[in-house]
């Protein structure tokens, strides 16, 4: 039997979504990207004109909203899932420059993290899940049978993000994308509440010098090794 709960953490642009979607498809597991919950929280704050530093008001918005992640509608096929808030599909709106700029400060509020924790744990408790994020192995699902920490150098992660943006019509320079990734790293690792770090029992996979096929092979080796 493959491990029932697989946690994949790592910094922005390490390729967690690509690998996580592939692995979930391969194992016929649910894929859940916890980052969308923080993005949805930032989107709720922005669309309701709530200040990004007003944690209590953001928590109230989260508690009033129904945030769901389902199989992709045709327009979200490349992303692999569709996010709905109160029944409206909002996936693309969660990846705008505005949300990108607000999501890390929103994710740094411990009250916001506490409000989103039960949502993530409920999905984890169903099992047969690949959950990706920053603190899945350390905080959300510390008992996950397999924890992977995907890593890559900042230059490589910036290059991948830039390529991804350009495929979707983005026009930012690679330098601008790199500065953004570096800023996000500082916020994700430097926050007081559940910062990004490698769990003691996580397997670290450095992807700089791996082709996507090599990376998949390394991940499958870990899955096989972790079989019960
Ligand atoms: O993975 P992403 O770029 O969509 O994540 C968006 C933000 O949410 C990023 O600043 C880190 C934060 N995040 C988090 O704090 N904890 C998670 N488990 C997932 C994402």
């Amino acid at each position: 039997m493959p491990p029932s709960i697989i946690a994949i953490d790592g910094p922005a642009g390490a390729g967690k979504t690509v690998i996580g979607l592939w692995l979930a498809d391969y194992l016929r597991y649910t894929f859940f990207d916890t980052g969308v919950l923080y993005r949805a929280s930032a989107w709720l704050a922005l669309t309701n004109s709530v200040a990004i530093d007003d944690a209590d008001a953001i928590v109230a918005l989260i508690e009033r909203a129904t945030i769901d992640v389902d199989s992709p509608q045709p327009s979200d096929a490349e992303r692999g899932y569709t996010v709905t808030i109160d029944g409206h599909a909002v996936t693309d709106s969660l990846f705008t420059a505005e949300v990108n700029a607000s999501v890390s400060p929103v994710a740094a509020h411990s009250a916001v993290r506490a409000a989103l924790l039960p949502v993530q744990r409920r999905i984890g408790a169903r099992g047969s899940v690949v959950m990706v994020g920053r603190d899945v192995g350390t905080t959300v699902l510390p008992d996950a049978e397999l924890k992977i920490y995907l890593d890559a150098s900042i230059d490589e992660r910036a290059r991948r993000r830039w390529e991804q943006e350009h495929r979707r019509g983005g026009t930012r320079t690679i330098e601008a994308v790199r500065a953004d990734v570096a800023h996000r790293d500082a916020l994700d690792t430097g926050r007081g509440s559940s910062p990004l770090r490698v769990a003691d029992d996580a397997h670290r996979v450095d992807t700089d010098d791996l082709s996507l096929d090599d990376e998949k092979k390394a991940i499958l080796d870990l899955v096989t090794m972790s079989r019960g």
Side-chain angles (χ1 to χ4, degrees):
M1 286 282 286
S4 174
I5 299 179
I6 301 176
I8 304 181
D9 291 300
K16 302 182 297 290
T17 306
V18 170
I19 278 295
L21 273 169
W22 163 79
L23 184 59
D25 187 53
Y26 181 85
L27 295 172
R28 301 194 184 288
Y29 278 17
T30 301
F31 171 78
F32 190 72
D33 176 0
T34 56
V36 301
L37 295 177
Y38 295 94
R39 289 179 176 277
S41 306
W43 182 88
L44 280 168
L46 291 168
T47 50
N48 287 280
S49 305
V50 162
I52 292 307
D53 59 3
D54 191 344
D56 290 345
I58 300 175
V59 168
L61 288 173
I62 293 169
E63 284 174 350
R64 241 183 288 136
T66 305
I67 306 170
D68 270 320
V69 183
D70 301 305
S71 319
Q73 296 180 357
S75 57
D76 295 324
E78 202 205 334
R79 289 198 194 281
Y81 52 78
T82 288
V83 185
T84 59
I85 298 183
D86 297 328
H88 301 287
V90 295
T91 322
D92 276 344
S93 324
L94 303 185
F95 292 87
T96 60
E98 237 188 329
V99 170
N100 284 344
S102 312
V103 65
S104 296
V106 167
H109 294 309
S110 51
V112 168
R113 304 197 72 80
L116 296 176
L117 199 51
V119 183
Q120 300 168 76
R121 288 203 171 140
R122 214 174 302 129
I123 292 162
R126 294 186 205 141
S128 302
V129 64
V130 176
M131 197 176 285
V132 314
R134 302 293 192 287
D135 63 341
V136 180
T138 54
T139 302
V140 179
L141 303 171
D143 296 329
E145 290 108 326
L146 175 60
K147 300 179 186 178
I148 296 169
Y149 187 93
L150 267 196
D151 212 349
S153 67
I154 176 118
D155 286 331
E156 179 60 17
R157 291 186 288 120
R159 193 189 61 73
R160 291 177 192 168
R161 273 279 148 108
W162 177 82
E163 263 183 21
Q164 195 179 44
E165 277 192 19
H166 273 243
R167 267 204 313 276
R168 296 189 180 132
T171 54
R172 288 200 300 169
T173 63
I174 195 154
E175 289 77 19
V177 175
R178 190 185 190 284
D180 200 24
V181 172
H183 181 59
R184 174 105 29 127
D185 282 357
L187 293 170
D188 288 347
T189 56
R191 69 174 173 237
S193 178
S194 204
L196 171 66
R197 65 173 185 82
V198 189
D200 294 338
D201 49 354
H203 300 270
R204 188 178 187 137
V205 178
D206 199 317
T207 65
D208 262 31
D209 298 319
L210 295 182
S211 67
L212 189 55
D213 277 350
D214 289 343
E215 196 178 325
K216 288 177 178 172
K217 193 176 168 310
I219 301 288
L220 277 188
D221 285 348
L222 291 174
V223 170
T224 308
M225 206 181 74
S226 310
R227 274 170 197 269

